[in-house]
Amino acid sequence: MKCVVCGAAASASVRTAEVPSNVKPFAHERFVVWQCAGCGTIHARDEVDLGHYYAQYPFRGQKLDLPTRVAFANKLKKLEKLGLRKQHAVLDYGCGSGLFVQFLQSKGYTHASGYDAYAGAGPYAKLPDALQDAILAQDVIEHVADPAQFLRELKQLAKPGALVVLGTPNAEVVDLDDAMTYVHLLHQPYHRHIMSADAIGTLATAQGMAVADVDKTFYGNSALPGLNALFLSRVLRASNDVLDDVLAGKVPLKPELFTPAALWDAFTGSRRDPGFDLTIALRL
């Protein structure tokens, strides 16, 4: 095994963990991940038929409901602080069913478009011909086989000076000795390479991109009770650590979600973010 991020070879003492998938149809399957001693990147050990697993991907059933709108509004506010403007040609790369594209268009971003490699024959199956002012890639870079090649592809789609914003899990917080606590960040078999901000910054710099901003908080954190990374982690644990029902809006009404500690997280968790997520803004 060799790290595709820093090139370090895995030694016999490399840290590994075996975890189940957090997607219901595949929850009975287990997958091995390993962590590079050089850069800290966490890799999926084995190659899989990703088309098979994406065919039942629960994120495709997500709806533009109130919590999603609140999270998207927070995300857009951050993007506008980074320089995103309504007149920009903006591409949501890896847009899934296109919910954020639709949200952007509803907010006056008339030049917003989307692309997803697993879109089939839908409206997001083709990359735009024109170069983009901004490219957003939320939860994409960790899914690709070669992160450096992915950044090169984004660069080829962007205008000089363009904004490129990556959202991805933060490898720095994951402890493989307690892997089940981080089963949703590991998100097997979909996440192929989970990196730190420094690792991504090194890859980006090598591609001629400058790191403009690093934010280690969940973009969906909100004053709305329950909409924050800490409480959502509790909800997922109460859902047998699978995503499907939660993404479909089915929150389990279990006693463990109504303890004093859980309610404290529900109401104050947005101010105590655990650092599970990274948002990295790059400039060409």
Side-chain angles (χ1 to χ4, degrees), residues 153-234:
E153 182 175 354
L154 296 188
K155 186 176 180 180
Q156 291 169 357
L157 296 169
K159 296 178 181 177
L163 176 69
V164 175
V165 182
L166 309 174
T168 188
N170 182 7
E172 293 173 277
V173 303
V174 178
D175 179 2
L176 291 188
D177 291 334
D178 185 24
M180 278 304 300
T181 295
Y182 305 97
V183 68
H184 302 292
L185 275 70
L186 296 172
H187 189 37
Q188 291 300 296
Y190 305 93
H191 287 178
R192 310 311 293 165
H193 311 287
I194 304 167
M195 293 169 282
S196 67
D198 287 345
I200 294 173
T202 298
L203 288 181
T205 300
Q207 301 304 322
M209 299 176 172
V211 177
D213 188 72
V214 176
D215 183 0
K216 297 182 181 181
T217 60
F218 174 46
Y219 72 83
N221 282 338
S222 167
L224 189 69
L227 188 52
N228 63 71
L230 278 175
F231 188 72
L232 287 174
S233 293
R234 289 182 178 272

Side-chain angles (χ1 to χ4, degrees), residues 21-35:
S21 178
N22 62 339
V23 171
K24 188 180 290 186
F26 312 115
H28 63 287
E29 298 185 42
R30 300 187 71 85
F31 303 88
V32 175
V33 296
W34 65 278
Q35 187 164 31

